[in-house]
Amino acid sequence: MLGFLRQPLVVTADINLNVVALTGVGLLSRLWRLTYPRAVVFDEVYYGQYISFYMKRIFFLDGSGPPFGHMLLALGGYLGGFDGNFLWNRIGAEYSSNVPVWSLRLLPALTGAFLVPMAYQIVLELHFSHCAAMGAALLILIENALITQSRLILLESVLIFFNLLSVLSYLKFSNLQKHSPFSLSWWFWLMLTGVACSCAVGVKYMGVFTYLLVLSVAAVHAWHLIGDQTLSNVCVFCHLLARTVAFLVIPILMYLLFFYIHLILLYRSGPHDQIMSSAFQASLDGGLARITRGQPLEVAYGSQVTLRSVFGKPMPCWLHSHQNTYPMIYENGRGSSHQQQVTCYPFKDVNNWWIVKDPGRHQLVVNNPPRPVRHGDIVQLVHGMTTRLLNTHDVAAPLSPHSQEVSCYIDYNISMPAQNLWRLEIVNRESDTDIWKTIMSEVRFVHVNTSAILKLSGAHLPDWGFRQLEVVGEKLSRGFHESMVWNVEEHRYGKSQEQKERELELHSPTQADVSRNLSFMARFSELQWRMLMLRTDDSEHKYSSTPLEWVTLDTNIAYWLHPRTSAQIHLLGNIMIWASASLAMVAYALLFFWYLLRRRRSICDLPEDCWLRWVLAGTLCCGGWAVNYLPFFMMEKTLFLYHYLPALTFQIILLPMVLQHVSDHLCRSQLQRSVFSALVVAWYSSACHVFNTLRPLTYGDTSLPPSELRALRWKDSWDILIRKY
């Protein structure tokens, strides 16, 4: 039984020394003097803030993408012992001794270094030569912009890493499909493809385009698989089921897992809470949770409440009133009711309190036992500090003339009777007998007399309205909008009938104890929606650029300037590589359509296996460039040169494959191949020279004289190269 112990246990492994060497030089190029400069460099000022939030477990909201990338950066800070105590408020600020700079920059540097051997592997998996694979790896190695971006606390290198990992994993899986389906390695690469795709999406939303590219290629291959008559129906079903799990189920589950961990880690209230709903805020420790802890759950007649607009745009605000009235005549000559102003106020204030009153009774206190308010009940809303009732009538709103003015009614003893009855409608009710609940219920108030709905218009009132937000009555016929929905945020049971006692009561804290924990899916759904709807700052930036400027490298970014010397870091690409990569893609497109036309005429210039290899290489590389570049033309946000790097990486990988194709299939004689090879070697030498020329601006470790510092754009770099040659 123990016979296997009589022989030594032997493990054999095939080690590709090319991969080992490429990994080594990649690590050297990215990790060398990684802690320099020991200062905040460009967008480190933003990512560093998020890292500090993670260290302190403070909730934040970032509209640039899902939280996975931020969590990876924070992991580096955690492993380095960072406590989050650093003020990330200025580019160029020196890091204090408690900031583990090497640890924070390590993950982007590692992912940037692994791009080098991954480019090599991708070209090999596409069945091109080792020479072409080494060429692709060398270009990734000496591309200055990729080096710069991967040596800082930034996420572009992490995104590119998972993009390439998803492509590489799928290629390995696809190649195994031909001779060893359902083997252990087949399952490994299949599942890794789904994991890499979900990680790419989890780092930045741009990763979804590479995911869709891989998904499209997999769908085409699956379609061919269905038509394979050598496979049984059961086998085909198993293949499709495995792909469905790997490419759909796993990415969805992992995407949810990223947010689950994110929300588990960030359980404390922070500066970004206000954009979230009251229920979400109440689920966080501190902040609103501290204020609302112990509130009654069910709203009853006599309840004192604050009403928050669920829409939250242009800013979170609460239904508000004060003693001031609308002007008799507006600036445009229109008249008003001269009633008490009702607005939406973006700050907590005692004038945000309202009392829910039963129209059939005069009392403003809660009975014992309380009488809860249900969906469809008629209520009056009494302003707590002025005791005037919420009212609307057929008078045009100050800034929205097609809507009705909303006011608190003042009896001027004229022919303008009060119209202050409102029907409560619970929008997210489960049944028509639902009770109005604190925080949880999203409600709208329908005016009984005019059927207008209480709505936040979002317009800022003039100075007479203290620049607060306009509230109007909107006809339902104009369509439903989230700005018509409100929820109770703060709530207490009123106990005082006298006004002076009630005013004191409105300033006092609540007492009862009711738990309102949101489920993970409710918090995830709201957070995801807020992230997608959050408008980023689209103002012009000194170094912002357009997508057309990226292709020609007609822009750069000054990342860091030494405060005492002329040393500096610029995001500046290797023009030899950028220009040649663009030309290679154009050459590929022309050759592809030329071959396609000739094949239509039954002229096959390439053997079938070479043609399929050529098509797959173009689909992944040209497709990878297109899906990571073209969407930026439709984006309304501030764009920078580094947004082009994921697309550029696919172009660079395509370049040596095009060169090999020209050498193998277009150079007819040995002499032509020799001349072409010499030109390629000379071109690679020029690319290396440009890399060395720009190296001081890539690493920032060398002070250059002013005469050389002017070479910040590719045109100047090109002039330097020509003069030296």
Side-chain angles (χ1 to χ4, degrees):
M1 184 174 68
L2 300 178
F4 69 94
L5 294 178
R6 298 173 184 173
Q7 298 294 331
L9 183 64
V10 178
V11 177
T12 59
D14 293 329
I15 300 177
N16 189 328
L17 294 181
N18 286 347
V19 174
V20 175
L22 290 172
T23 304
V25 294
L27 290 170
L28 179 64
S29 67
R30 269 65 174 179
L31 295 178
W32 184 74
R33 296 193 66 185
L34 188 60
T35 58
Y36 181 86
R38 194 175 173 83
V40 179
V41 180
F42 204 62
D43 277 353
E44 286 187 339
V45 72
Y46 301 111
Y47 290 109
Q49 294 177 23
Y50 303 139
I51 295 172
S52 289
F53 284 142
Y54 274 113
M55 297 300 102
K56 297 179 180 181
R57 303 295 191 265
I58 294 175
F59 174 79
F60 69 88
L61 179 64
D62 177 29
S64 66
F68 180 58
H70 300 320
M71 288 192 293
L72 289 178
L73 296 179
L75 177 62
Y78 174 77
L79 295 177
F82 183 42
D83 56 8
N85 291 320
F86 181 78
L87 190 60
W88 308 84
N89 62 346
R90 180 173 61 87
I91 297 175
E94 294 287 332
Y95 284 122
S96 55
S97 58
N98 69 308
V99 180
V101 181
W102 190 86
S103 179
L104 289 172
R105 291 175 178 170
L106 178 60
L107 180 70
L110 289 177
T111 54
F114 291 145
L115 298 181
V116 179
M118 285 174 65
Y120 173 86
Q121 291 280 1
I122 287 174
V123 176
L124 283 186
E125 292 299 324
L126 286 169
H127 303 295
F128 284 82
S129 66
H130 282 273
C131 184
M134 289 293 292
L138 177 61
L139 295 179
I140 297 292
L141 176 67
I142 64 174
E143 210 302 294
N144 298 77
L146 290 177
I147 296 176
T148 301
Q149 200 70 13
S150 63
R151 288 173 48 83
L152 304 170
I153 310 173
L154 305 172
L155 286 179
E156 275 64 38
S157 64
V158 183
L159 173 62
I160 297 171
F161 170 80
F162 286 116
N163 282 347
L164 295 192
L165 181 60
S166 62
V167 172
L168 175 61
S169 301
Y170 181 77
L171 287 173
K172 285 185 172 291
F173 156 74
S174 180
N175 290 331
L176 287 169
Q177 170 69 31
K178 300 172 184 177
H179 53 80
S180 56
F182 299 108
S183 63
L184 186 61
S185 56
W186 183 91
W187 279 107
F188 172 79
W189 292 111
L190 173 62
M191 295 302 167
L192 184 59
T193 304
V195 170
C197 287
S198 58
C199 290
V201 178
V203 171
K204 284 195 172 185
Y205 283 126
M206 282 302 299
V208 75
F209 296 113
T210 302
Y211 170 48
L212 292 177
L213 174 67
V214 173
L215 200 62
S216 300
V217 174
V220 172
H221 288 172
W223 181 254
H224 291 308
L225 191 71
I226 294 173
D228 189 349
Q229 298 299 320
T230 63
L231 300 177
S232 66
N233 292 339
V234 174
C235 184
V236 170
F237 174 78
C238 291
H239 274 289
L240 296 179
L241 181 61
R243 286 160 172 77
T244 300
V245 171
F247 299 145
L248 295 177
V249 176
I250 286 181
I252 292 174
L253 293 178
M254 288 200 62
Y255 190 76
L256 291 173
L257 179 62
F258 298 151
F259 279 89
Y260 182 80
I261 298 173
H262 175 73
L263 292 172
I264 287 292
L265 292 175
L266 306 183
Y267 60 86
R268 291 175 178 161
S269 175
H272 297 177
D273 294 1
Q274 290 295 317
I275 198 173
M276 308 305 293
S277 70
S278 302
F280 194 102
Q281 293 182 56
S283 68
L284 301 172
D285 288 354
L288 182 62
R290 186 173 61 252
I291 297 172
T292 60
R293 184 178 294 114
Q295 292 184 156
L297 177 60
E298 297 181 350
V299 178
Y301 291 106
S303 286
Q304 300 167 357
V305 299
T306 62
L307 294 167
R308 185 180 191 267
S309 172
V310 172
F311 189 46
K313 293 183 179 180
M315 61 188 68
C317 62
W318 293 261
L319 190 66
H320 176 94
S321 187
H322 39 243
Q323 292 281 358
N324 300 73
T325 60
Y326 291 109
M328 289 288 291
I329 303 295
Y330 297 127
E331 291 83 348
N332 58 9
R334 289 191 298 108
S336 78
S337 66
H338 199 48
Q339 298 283 335
Q340 181 173 303
Q341 296 176 17
V342 171
T343 65
C344 206
Y345 190 50
F347 301 99
K348 294 187 181 299
D349 187 85
V350 70
N351 280 313
N352 297 345
W353 284 94
W354 299 81
I355 301 170
V356 181
K357 179 180 176 296
D358 183 348
R361 301 190 181 189
H362 293 291
Q363 65 184 38
L364 297 178
V365 296
V366 176
N367 291 339
N368 190 13
R371 288 192 304 124
V373 182
R374 300 180 182 273
H375 170 76
D377 285 353
I378 305 299
V379 301
Q380 291 174 313
L381 292 178
V382 182
H383 186 238
M385 298 302 292
T386 63
T387 68
R388 292 187 174 127
L389 279 73
L390 187 70
N391 182 85
T392 188
H393 38 220
D394 193 15
V395 175
L399 302 181
S400 306
H402 297 292
S403 302
Q404 294 179 186
E405 175 193 271
V406 175
S407 60
C408 279
Y409 182 75
I410 302 175
D411 188 1
Y412 289 118
N413 199 23
I414 58 176
S415 58
M416 184 182 288
Q419 299 182 30
N420 49 37
L421 298 180
W422 301 85
R423 184 174 67 255
L424 178 83
E425 294 185 355
I426 303 177
V427 178
N428 60 340
R429 66 185 181 276
E430 295 180 357
S431 70
D432 288 342
T433 59
D434 271 11
I435 295 175
W436 186 8
K437 293 184 176 63
T438 305
I439 292 179
M440 296 301 186
S441 295
E442 296 181 352
V443 303
R444 61 182 182 183
F445 298 94
V446 182
H447 192 236
V448 173
N449 299 78
T450 64
S451 298
I453 300 176
L454 189 69
K455 175 186 175 182
L456 168 66
S457 77
H460 286 270
L461 294 170
D463 291 340
W464 54 257
F466 308 101
R467 310 299 299 175
Q468 295 174 17
L469 300 177
E470 181 190 41
V471 174
V472 301
E474 184 73 82
K475 294 290 187 180
L476 185 58
S477 59
R478 299 177 68 89
F480 173 78
H481 193 267
E482 196 177 3
S483 57
M484 298 176 175
V485 182
W486 306 79
N487 72 274
V488 172
E489 185 170 274
E490 297 181 64
H491 176 212
R492 60 168 60 87
Y493 282 162
K495 300 177 181 178
S496 304
Q497 184 68 25
E498 295 298 325
Q499 176 63 13
K500 289 189 177 297
E501 295 179 4
R502 189 162 56 245
E503 289 181 10
L504 293 174
E505 189 178 26
L506 291 173
H507 287 88
S508 64
T510 56
Q511 299 298 327
D513 187 14
V514 178
S515 175
R516 277 177 297 279
N517 292 325
L518 279 180
S519 67
F520 162 69
M521 287 306 299
R523 300 175 73 198
F524 163 75
S525 301
E526 179 179 346
L527 179 57
Q528 181 67 84
W529 176 252
R530 298 291 184 185
M531 290 173 63
L532 293 174
M533 293 295 104
L534 185 65
R535 287 186 61 86
T536 57
D537 183 15
D538 55 359
S539 59
E540 284 296 319
H541 188 279
K542 180 180 179 180
Y543 294 109
S544 62
S545 53
T546 64
L548 289 177
E549 293 178 301
W550 303 341
V551 177
T552 57
L553 198 54
D554 200 20
T555 181
N556 72 92
I557 305 176
Y559 268 6
W560 173 80
L561 305 176
H562 196 285
R564 291 176 296 276
T565 70
S566 59
Q568 44 195 282
I569 295 176
H570 285 255
L571 183 67
L572 188 61
N574 188 320
I575 183 56
M576 289 295 293
I577 297 176
W578 287 54
S580 301
S582 297
L583 291 175
M585 197 176 66
V586 172
Y588 175 89
L590 294 175
L591 287 171
F592 174 80
F593 286 112
W594 173 251
Y595 292 146
L596 198 62
L597 288 172
R598 287 173 63 82
R599 288 174 72 87
R600 187 64 177 169
R601 300 291 298 172
S602 299
I603 304 173
C604 296
D605 299 286
L606 300 176
E608 190 63 22
D609 60 334
C610 291
W611 168 249
L612 294 177
R613 180 180 68 186
W614 182 247
V615 170
L616 182 59
T619 300
L620 292 175
C621 294
C622 293
W625 172 85
V627 299
N628 284 283
Y629 174 61
L630 299 181
F632 285 107
F633 284 95
M634 298 177 286
M635 294 185 183
E636 296 180 356
K637 69 173 188 176
T638 307
L639 300 175
F640 297 93
L641 179 62
Y642 56 72
H643 286 124
Y644 186 61
L645 296 181
L648 173 71
T649 308
F650 285 99
Q651 268 192 328
I652 293 176
I653 294 175
L654 178 67
L655 174 55
M657 293 188 286
V658 171
L659 294 177
Q660 179 186 336
H661 181 83
V662 172
S663 176
D664 292 348
H665 299 282
L666 300 183
C667 293
R668 302 295 183 182
S669 64
Q670 186 61 41
L671 178 61
Q672 289 177 337
R673 292 191 181 93
S674 299
V675 172
F676 182 76
S677 298
L679 292 175
V680 170
V681 171
W683 176 85
Y684 268 95
S685 300
S686 301
C688 291
H689 185 81
V690 173
F691 161 74
N692 190 59
T693 301
L694 299 179
R695 196 197 67 81
L697 299 179
T698 300
Y699 291 93
D701 58 345
T702 304
S703 297
L704 297 177
S707 59
E708 293 189 33
L709 282 177
R710 69 182 182 86
L712 300 179
R713 297 175 61 190
W714 71 265
K715 297 169 185 175
D716 301 314
S717 304
W718 184 259
D719 291 340
I720 292 175
L721 178 66
I722 293 176
R723 287 199 301 271
K724 291 193 175 183
Y725 269 86

